[in-house]
């Protein structure tokens, strides 16, 4: 009995100690993307939570998935709210004729390939008529509310379509026709053709987070909504009640709008500071604009804030190196919207410890990604190549701190 | 695979009967083995944990009973077991809080008559998935010969070791191994008919076998919201285990029982699982799954070793792509050792304190991504430490520590750790 008491006491003490010392500790806040912006009210935080839950919701055929689809949830393409993986890539295709006319082959299931299907349906394959296709990885979804809150006039001010300053960079605004249900914010202004600025998506086709989300639900998961009641092209399913409610959709949009900006790490490290200076010196910042400011927006936490996304939200010609002979919106096949660099240092946390960069994940390291830049970024790419090894290390250290 | 299993089982059953090498009485055999085991200096605990009956197949007929009556013509007993625990788990620093979990309660009844040649067994358990009482077992067994028994009704398919021997008081761990609960369905039962038996090869060695035809698993293996190929979700929750595709599945196990040492078993489950037509409209071709398991339990120098390796191949609808794995692998290795025996407690000395270690892994999607040629993860590795105060052969107080590495399909890892305290007892 004495021995039993002895052993039981030891086991109990070890167990209690174990609670604090050998249970997995909390990940540092600046190592994760999830979290709200500051200043949300209790009601807004609850709304954020509803959106968080909906964002992670996995759809089944009973819930409206498909019949043809790419993924089963939002979070599948934006794991941990981070960068996507080639496994969940979106493949889009089109036919471009000799005159440059683009046919998205909607009658053949285009422009997006839904390569998965529910039971009883055939998944799509790329039709022979397509002569161009691209693969797109899901971008990180943090900080998007700040990008949405940038005034149109600020974006327009960054554009230099004719390269008047002669730096070889000629970013231009992506003007697109929004869908019928689009309601502009106060800071959105149309051009004389009735188009609005597209700022979301790799080709800057989506004018705001609602239209981007509606499109993603329908094209990526086959989930219909009040705003997009039709199933994806090629589904052959009659119109029916929306698969998700407008409330749920709006909760997801609010979640995306109020996710915090990706946190910085080691920003005061000397190597990082040197790298930051190099980033400006070789004019990476010519497209990856370090600082933007929001205007009045839906909540105080997003209004009149200065933030650091490292994007100008403009379209840039990236040259033949990144020309997939596919386009959408107003972009040419070689034009891409400047990808925000914030969160770059946390990309591997969402990509299984690997790194898949550029629009389709073709770059397996930051160095490779830089080398793959062409077109308007050629000068900066060449300048990077001319840096000393130490300077290159400093630049990478800076990019990893974002 | 199933054809070979059938042939082997029939041969095992037929040869001894033809050559007259089987014992005349099952009871005599059990008794002699019991003595053999006791003489091999194993503690009572090892015998209880190992199993105090002769075969995997027979274990359920010898559980502790709340009420038992025996006569020259047969016997009748009823009993039950239950388990509950309190646990505190943390994933990457975020805990779900300290809370209580009622694991299960299971009522069982056995009866036999006609000189123990006809046996009835029934189990009713509380199903945590459906929050309903569930008939886990309701079968009749007719022993024409120890090497040939006919059994039918709601049976527990002999997949691996734990499906038929997963009584919570038996184990030093609170949770079942992942291979026996997330690849092989836990407490998996089905309607079927089959044969079983055992054959003594020599005094200290026997072969056991079971072979059944059953209704089979169902669509939810892939039609689920995890989303992952989840074989346990294919187990029918219908009280009568209604069939969904008019095609039988087959399951069986062959065990080599080395008396006073242990048993190694090879088991198989296979058959079509999906619905092929709805309202006479064909929605898919017939798709099958095959599960093969090797299990072993050995007692050596008071150390009880348990292990299991499970391989599942699933024909998955092409439309799902690689979201749903077509191959799963799981295994575990467990070491149990009594550090204190013959503990004086509540007037009894039939108590002992065990320590145990289990290492286990389950890979739910074996393969590489078509897009990147990198590994598909969706796997969990787990290390468990346990201490258990075993009070006689009926009750166990358990303390478990778990550390788990969970990788999502892309390989992103989350670490989970937890402490559990619980009890499991027959009553």
């Amino acid at each position: 009995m004495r021995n039993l008491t002895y052993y039981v006491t030891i086991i109990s003490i070890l167990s209690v100690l174990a609670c604090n010392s050998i249970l997995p500790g909390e990940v540092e806040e600046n190592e994760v993307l999830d979290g709200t912006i500051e200043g949300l009210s209790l009601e807004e935080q609850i709304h954020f939570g509803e959106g968080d839950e909906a964002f992670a919701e996995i759809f089944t055929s009973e819930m409206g998935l498909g019949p043809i689809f790419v993924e089963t949830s939002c979070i599948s393409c934006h794991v941990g709210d981070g960068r996507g993986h080639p496994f969940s890539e979106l493949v889009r295709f089109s036919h471009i004729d000799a005159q440059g006319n683009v046919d998205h082959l909607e009658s053949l299931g285009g422009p997006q390939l839904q390569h998965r299907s529910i039971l009883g349906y055939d998944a799509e394959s790329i039709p022979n008529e397509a002569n161009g296709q691209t693969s797109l990885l899901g971008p990180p979804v943090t900080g998007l509310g700040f990008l949405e809150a940038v005034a149109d006039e600020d974006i327009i001010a960054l554009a230099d379509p004719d390269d008047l300053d002669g730096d070889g960079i000629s970013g231009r605004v992506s003007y697109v026709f929004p869908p019928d249900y689009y309601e502009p914010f106060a800071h959105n202004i149309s051009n004389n053709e009735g188009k609005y600025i597209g700022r979301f998506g790799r080709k800057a086709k989506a004018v705001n987070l609602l239209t981007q989300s509606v499109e993603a639900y329908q094209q990526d998961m086959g989930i219909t909504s009040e705003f997009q009641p039709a199933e994806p092209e090629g589904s052959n399913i009659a119109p029916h009640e929306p698969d998700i409610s407008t409330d749920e959709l709006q909760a997801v949009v609010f979640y995306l709008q109020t996710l915090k900006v990706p946190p910085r790490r080691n920003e005061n490290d000397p190597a990082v500071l040197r790298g930051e200076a190099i980033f400006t010196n070789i004019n990476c910042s010519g497209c990856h604009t370090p600082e933007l400011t929001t205007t009045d927006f839906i909540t105080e936490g997003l209004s009149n804030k200065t933030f650091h996304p490292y994007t100008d939200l403009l379209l840039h010609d990236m040259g033949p190196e990144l020309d997939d002979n596919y386009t959408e919106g107003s972009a040419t096949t070689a034009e891409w919207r400047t990808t925000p660099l914030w969160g770059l240092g946390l990309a591997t946390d969402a990509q299984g410890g690997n790194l898949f960069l550029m629009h389709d994940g073709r770059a397996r390291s930051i160095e490779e990604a830089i080398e793959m830049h062409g077109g308007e970024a050629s000068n900066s790419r060449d300048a990077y190549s001319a840096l000393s090894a130490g300077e290159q290390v400093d630049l990478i250290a800076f990019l990893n701190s974002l | 695979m199933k054809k070979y299993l059938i042939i082997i089982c029939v041969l095992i059953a037929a040869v001894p009967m033809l050559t007259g090498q089987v014992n005349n009485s099952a009871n005599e055999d059990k008794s002699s083995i019991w003595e053999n085991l006791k003489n091999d200096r194993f503690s009572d605990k090892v015998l209880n944990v190992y199993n105090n009956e002769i075969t995997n197949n027979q274990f359920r007929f010898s559980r502790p009973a709340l009420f038992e009556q025996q006569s020259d013509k047969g016997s009748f007993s009823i009993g039950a077991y239950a388990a509950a625990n309190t646990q505190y788990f943390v994933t990457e620093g975020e805990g779900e809080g300290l809370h209580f979990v009622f694991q299960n309660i299971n009522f069982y009844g056995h009866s036999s008559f006609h000189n123990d040649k006809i046996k009835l067994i029934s189990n009713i358990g509380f199903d945590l998935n459906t929050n309903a009482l569930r008939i886990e077992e309701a079968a009749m067994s007719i022993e024409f010969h120890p090497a040939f028994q006919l059994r039918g009704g709601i049976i527990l398919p002999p997949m691996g070791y734990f499906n038929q021997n997963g009584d919570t008081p038996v184990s030093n761990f609170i949770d079942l191994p992942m291979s026996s609960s997330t690849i092989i369905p836990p407490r998996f039962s089905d309607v079927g008919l089959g044969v079983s038996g055992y054959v003594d090869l020599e005094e200290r060695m026997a072969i056991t076998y079971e072979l059944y035809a059953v209704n089979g698993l169902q669509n939810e293996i892939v039609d689920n919201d995890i989303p992952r190929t989840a074989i346990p979700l294919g187990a029918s929750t219908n009280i009568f285990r209604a069939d969904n595709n008019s095609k039988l599945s087959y399951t069986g196990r062959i065990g080599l029982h080395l008396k006073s040492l242990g048993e190694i078993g090879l088991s198989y489950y296979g058959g079509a699982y999906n619905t092929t037509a709805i309202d006479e409209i064909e929605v898919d071709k017939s798709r099958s799954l095959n599960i093969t398991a090797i299990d072993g339990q050995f007692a050596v120098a008071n150390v009880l070793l348990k292990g299991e390796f499970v391989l599942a191949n699933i024909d998955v609808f092409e439309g799902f792509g690689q979201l749903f794995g077509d191959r799963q692998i799981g295994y575990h290795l467990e070491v149990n050792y009594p550090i204190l025996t013959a503990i004086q407690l509540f007037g009894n000395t039939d108590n002992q304190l065990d320590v145990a270690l289990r290492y286990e892994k389950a890979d739910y999607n074996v393969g590489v991504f078509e897009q990147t040629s990198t590994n598909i993860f969706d796997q969990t590795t787990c290390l468990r430490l346990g201490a258990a105060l075993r009070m006689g052969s009926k009750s166990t107080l358990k303390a478990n520590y778990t550390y788990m590495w969970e990788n999502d399909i892309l390989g992103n890892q989350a670490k989970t750790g937890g402490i559990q305290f619980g009890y499991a007892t027959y009553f």
Side-chain angles (χ1 to χ4, degrees):
Chain A
M1 189 66 183
R2 184 188 297 171
N3 282 341
L4 176 66
T5 307
Y6 172 73
Y7 279 104
V8 168
T9 304
I10 290 212
I11 289 168
S12 301
I13 291 171
L14 286 176
S15 300
V16 170
L17 291 175
C19 288
N20 290 324
S21 59
I22 52 176
L23 295 181
E26 196 167 353
V27 180
E28 294 291 327
E29 196 173 339
N30 64 0
E31 295 288 338
V32 294
L33 295 171
D34 195 12
T36 67
I37 61 169
E38 292 178 0
L40 289 187
S41 67
L42 179 60
E43 190 181 356
E44 288 172 330
Q45 289 180 48
I46 292 170
H47 200 198
F48 175 91
E50 291 167 348
D52 193 358
E53 194 174 322
F55 195 74
E57 184 170 28
I58 294 167
F59 289 93
T60 64
S61 54
E62 286 77 21
M63 298 161 73
L65 177 69
I68 52 177
F69 63 97
V70 179
E71 273 293 357
T72 58
S73 66
C74 304
I75 206 165
S76 300
C77 293
H78 310 281
V79 178
D81 298 318
R83 202 169 295 268
H85 186 279
F87 176 60
S88 52
E89 67 186 2
L90 307 175
V91 176
R92 292 182 185 159
F93 55 88
S94 65
H95 177 89
I96 303 179
D97 64 21
Q99 288 70 46
N101 299 312
V102 178
D103 179 358
H104 281 121
L105 302 174
E106 292 183 12
S107 62
L108 299 172
Q112 183 159 301
L113 178 73
Q114 282 86 22
H115 66 292
R116 295 184 176 121
S117 65
I118 64 171
L119 281 168
Y121 290 84
D122 293 327
E124 287 182 337
S125 55
I126 295 177
N128 294 331
E129 289 79 353
N131 62 1
Q133 69 178 69
T134 191
S135 299
L136 306 173
L137 303 192
V141 292
T142 49
L144 296 184
F146 290 88
L147 298 179
E148 190 171 37
V150 176
D152 284 9
E153 57 191 20
D154 289 350
I155 299 174
I156 294 167
L158 292 169
D160 181 19
D162 301 318
D163 192 19
L164 297 178
D165 62 5
D167 64 354
I169 297 172
S170 54
R172 69 181 184 89
V173 175
S174 169
Y175 277 110
V176 294
F177 284 116
D180 294 341
Y181 59 83
Y182 170 66
E183 292 179 8
F185 294 109
H187 62 270
N188 297 141
I189 47 178
S190 64
N191 69 2
N192 52 14
E193 296 177 78
K195 293 179 177 178
Y196 285 84
I197 294 178
R199 63 181 77 190
F200 295 108
R202 300 279 185 179
K203 294 283 188 181
K205 182 190 166 197
V207 290
N208 64 13
L209 291 173
L210 175 64
T211 63
Q212 175 69 25
S213 301
V214 168
E215 185 91 351
Y217 267 112
Q218 191 237 13
Q219 286 291 313
D220 304 350
M221 296 178 280
I223 298 298
T224 60
S225 61
E226 171 196 341
F227 304 109
Q228 181 49 277
E231 295 283 357
E233 297 79 8
S235 298
N236 300 320
I237 280 195
H240 55 81
E241 288 292 307
D243 295 322
I244 56 164
S245 68
T246 301
D247 285 347
E248 188 174 356
L249 182 61
Q250 295 286 12
V252 167
V253 172
F254 186 76
Y255 170 73
L256 297 174
Q257 288 170 327
T258 51
L259 270 169
K260 69 181 184 185
V261 300
R264 288 288 305 272
R265 296 154 313 288
N266 309 318
E267 57 264 45
N268 296 319
D269 184 282
V272 170
L273 293 172
R274 289 195 299 271
E276 187 171 9
I278 294 168
F279 184 81
T280 304
N281 291 341
I282 63 175
N283 205 23
C284 301
S285 55
C287 300
H288 294 286
T289 305
E291 188 173 289
L292 295 174
T293 303
T294 62
T295 183
D296 286 332
F297 201 46
I298 56 171
T299 183
E300 190 182 337
L302 290 170
S303 300
N304 306 304
K305 296 285 187 290
T306 297
F307 63 105
H308 303 90
Y310 296 90
T311 178
D312 57 7
L313 298 174
L314 299 173
L315 292 172
H316 294 274
D317 189 327
M318 300 302 289
E321 294 92 335
L322 295 175
D323 188 342
D324 289 345
N325 198 35
Y326 170 84
T327 192
E328 57 193 29
S330 68
T332 66
T333 55
E335 281 182 327
W336 299 90
R337 187 210 60 171
T338 307
T339 296
L341 295 181
W342 58 6
L344 181 58
L346 298 176
T348 55
D349 293 348
Q351 296 183 319
N354 299 304
L355 205 51
F356 299 98
L357 300 177
M358 309 303 283
H359 63 277
D360 55 1
R362 67 179 72 180
R364 299 301 304 274
S365 67
I366 295 176
E367 294 88 335
E368 270 189 34
I370 295 170
E371 298 287 354
M372 287 175 179
H373 280 60
E376 296 177 34
S378 299
N379 291 341
S380 294
R381 178 196 60 197
D382 296 343
Y384 166 79
S385 299
L387 293 174
S388 69
E391 289 171 324
Q392 289 185 353
V393 169
D394 289 344
L395 179 63
I396 301 303
F398 164 67
L399 293 171
N400 271 318
S401 77
L402 298 179
Chain B
M1 181 73 181
K2 64 192 175 194
K3 289 178 184 173
Y4 296 116
L5 203 61
I6 292 169
I7 292 168
I8 291 169
C9 290
V10 169
L11 287 174
I12 290 169
V15 172
M17 282 192 290
L18 294 173
T19 57
Q21 288 180 1
V22 291
N23 292 337
N24 290 327
S25 163
N27 288 330
E28 284 176 16
D29 183 81
K30 291 176 194 174
S31 173
S32 65
I33 290 169
W34 174 257
E35 290 305 316
N36 284 338
L37 289 168
K38 279 195 167 178
N39 292 336
D40 272 15
R41 68 185 166 76
F42 294 144
S43 70
D44 286 346
K45 172 261 162 186
V46 174
L47 297 179
N48 286 329
V49 172
Y50 170 49
N51 72 43
N52 58 15
E53 276 291 339
I54 58 166
T55 70
N56 183 33
N57 181 26
Q58 295 291 322
F59 172 74
R60 298 185 315 288
F61 290 98
S62 63
R63 292 154 157 165
L66 180 66
F67 172 79
E68 189 169 12
Q69 185 165 358
Q70 289 192 324
S71 70
D72 294 341
K73 300 293 183 184
S75 65
F76 171 74
S77 66
I78 56 172
Y81 67 85
N85 68 76
T86 178
Q87 60 184 38
Y88 180 74
F89 274 86
V90 171
T91 300
E92 302 290 2
E94 291 190 15
E96 54 187 17
L98 187 67
H99 64 280
F100 296 96
V101 176
F102 184 78
Q103 274 184 284
N104 54 40
I105 184 166
N106 187 294
F107 302 93
Y108 50 82
H110 312 140
S111 66
S112 65
F113 46 93
H114 276 295
N115 294 317
D116 278 341
K117 298 301 180 189
I118 299 177
K119 295 176 182 174
L120 300 172
I121 185 169
S122 62
N123 274 284
I124 296 175
F126 186 76
D127 191 317
L128 294 175
N129 292 322
T130 59
N131 290 331
L133 283 174
R134 174 170 178 263
I135 300 172
E136 289 188 351
E137 199 171 16
M140 183 173 77
S141 179
I142 304 173
E143 182 183 315
F144 295 100
H145 192 281
F148 187 80
Q149 301 172 45
L150 187 67
R151 182 176 297 170
I154 298 177
I155 60 147
L156 295 175
M159 271 309 301
Y161 179 77
F162 280 93
N163 197 47
Q164 293 187 337
N165 300 281
D167 289 6
T168 38
V170 174
S171 175
N172 287 330
F173 291 99
I174 289 170
D175 291 330
L176 283 170
M178 292 185 294
S179 59
S180 306
S181 56
T182 61
I183 296 181
I184 296 173
R187 302 300 291 173
F188 173 34
S189 66
D190 204 346
V191 178
L193 176 68
V195 294
S196 65
Y198 70 94
V199 178
D200 271 348
L201 297 181
E202 53 181 77
E203 188 182 352
R204 300 176 71 81
M205 186 184 295
I207 285 184
T208 66
Y209 77 93
E210 292 181 77
L211 180 64
Y212 302 99
V214 295
N215 272 350
L217 293 161
Q218 305 197 351
N219 291 336
E220 286 74 9
I221 289 173
V222 291
D223 191 7
N224 62 58
D225 62 357
I226 296 180
R228 163 197 290 166
T229 300
I231 298 170
L233 294 183
S236 174
T237 54
N238 180 287
I239 191 168
F240 297 117
R241 315 298 196 275
D243 188 30
N244 69 328
N245 57 17
S246 304
K247 290 184 178 171
L248 294 178
S249 295
Y250 299 91
T251 180
R253 181 179 184 275
I254 298 172
L256 174 63
H257 190 86
L258 304 169
K259 298 164 191 171
S260 78
L261 180 61
E263 181 171 306
I264 185 167
L266 172 66
S267 52
Y268 168 80
Y269 183 99
Y273 68 87
N274 65 319
T275 301
T276 54
I278 298 173
D279 295 335
E280 298 183 358
I281 299 171
E282 186 176 334
V283 293
D284 194 15
K285 68 176 187 180
S286 179
R287 297 180 187 276
S288 64
L289 84 151
N290 299 282
I291 312 172
T292 307
I294 298 172
D295 64 85
Q297 313 87 44
F298 297 98
V300 181
N302 265 4
V303 176
L304 178 66
L305 299 170
K306 295 181 184 178
E308 188 168 67
F309 175 85
V310 182
L311 169 65
N313 289 299
I314 308 100
D315 181 7
V316 175
F317 174 57
E318 294 82 2
F320 294 152
Q322 294 182 300
L323 276 178
F324 292 82
D326 57 8
R327 173 169 289 189
Q328 299 185 333
I329 287 175
Y331 59 84
H332 75 270
L333 182 64
E334 187 178 311
V335 183
N336 300 268
Y337 181 72
I339 55 172
L340 279 179
T341 57
I343 299 168
Q344 178 76 31
L345 192 65
F346 307 133
N348 290 314
T349 57
D350 188 18
N351 311 297
Q352 67 184 47
L353 183 65
D354 286 4
V355 291
L357 171 69
R358 180 196 285 166
Y359 177 78
E360 54 183 321
K361 183 170 184 175
D363 187 340
Y364 303 107
N365 197 338
V366 178
V368 296
F369 288 117
E370 292 166 0
Q371 292 89 344
T372 61
S373 298
T374 53
N375 187 37
I376 301 175
F377 282 85
D378 197 7
Q379 58 190 225
T380 302
T381 304
C382 184
L383 185 67
R384 297 183 199 272
L385 301 173
L389 177 63
R390 308 189 69 86
M391 296 177 285
S393 59
K394 285 190 174 180
S395 301
T396 311
L397 296 177
K398 308 177 187 183
N400 287 180
Y401 166 70
T402 298
Y403 204 93
M404 200 181 288
W405 296 262
E406 294 176 277
N407 289 91
D408 67 12
I409 192 168
L410 305 179
N412 303 305
Q413 190 176 82
K415 300 184 191 75
T416 296
I419 307 284
Q420 294 166 293
F421 295 97
Y423 76 84
T425 184
Y426 289 106
F427 60 94

